[in-house]
Amino acid sequence: HNPVPELLNLLFSVLQWISNNPLVCTKELKWLQTWMKLHPTIMGELDGVTCRTPFGNLNKVFDFDFNLLGKQLIICIKIQF
């Protein structure tokens, strides 16, 4: 019995669910972007997985620059003072 097709179907279902439920853009989500870029054939048409920034903007996880998060938070904190 080859479990790979079943695992791929499960993964596809999870990614479809994620595509319809925006995640929060945090540095902890960087692993998902890395995984998506390493497995483009599994991702297929699911490049619409999004995350919401601390400012409420939606961004595609695949394209998001997670290095900007720390810089944006510093700017946000400075504005609040």
Side-chain angles (χ1 to χ4, degrees):
H1 174 68
N2 183 357
V4 173
E6 292 172 15
L7 290 173
L8 289 176
N9 283 336
L10 176 62
L11 180 61
F12 185 76
S13 296
V14 168
L15 290 173
Q16 278 185 317
W17 180 82
I18 291 172
S19 293
N20 296 319
N21 297 284
L23 303 166
V24 178
C25 298
T26 63
K27 290 194 178 209
E28 288 80 13
L29 196 59
K30 175 74 174 145
W31 73 268
L32 180 58
Q33 181 187 66
T34 302
W35 185 87
M36 290 169 70
K37 289 182 178 187
L38 289 173
H39 301 89
T41 54
I42 294 174
M43 289 307 299
E45 297 296 319
L46 295 176
D47 68 344
V49 176
T50 59
C51 62
R52 189 173 302 279
T53 68
F55 303 104
N57 303 335
L58 280 178
N59 292 278
K60 287 187 175 184
V61 172
F62 190 86
D63 300 323
F64 186 68
D65 184 357
F66 285 91
N67 294 319
L68 295 176
L69 281 176
K71 294 174 185 173
Q72 289 176 341
L73 289 176
I74 291 170
I75 292 169
C76 181
I77 291 169
K78 287 181 181 179
I79 292 171
Q80 290 178 353
F81 286 107

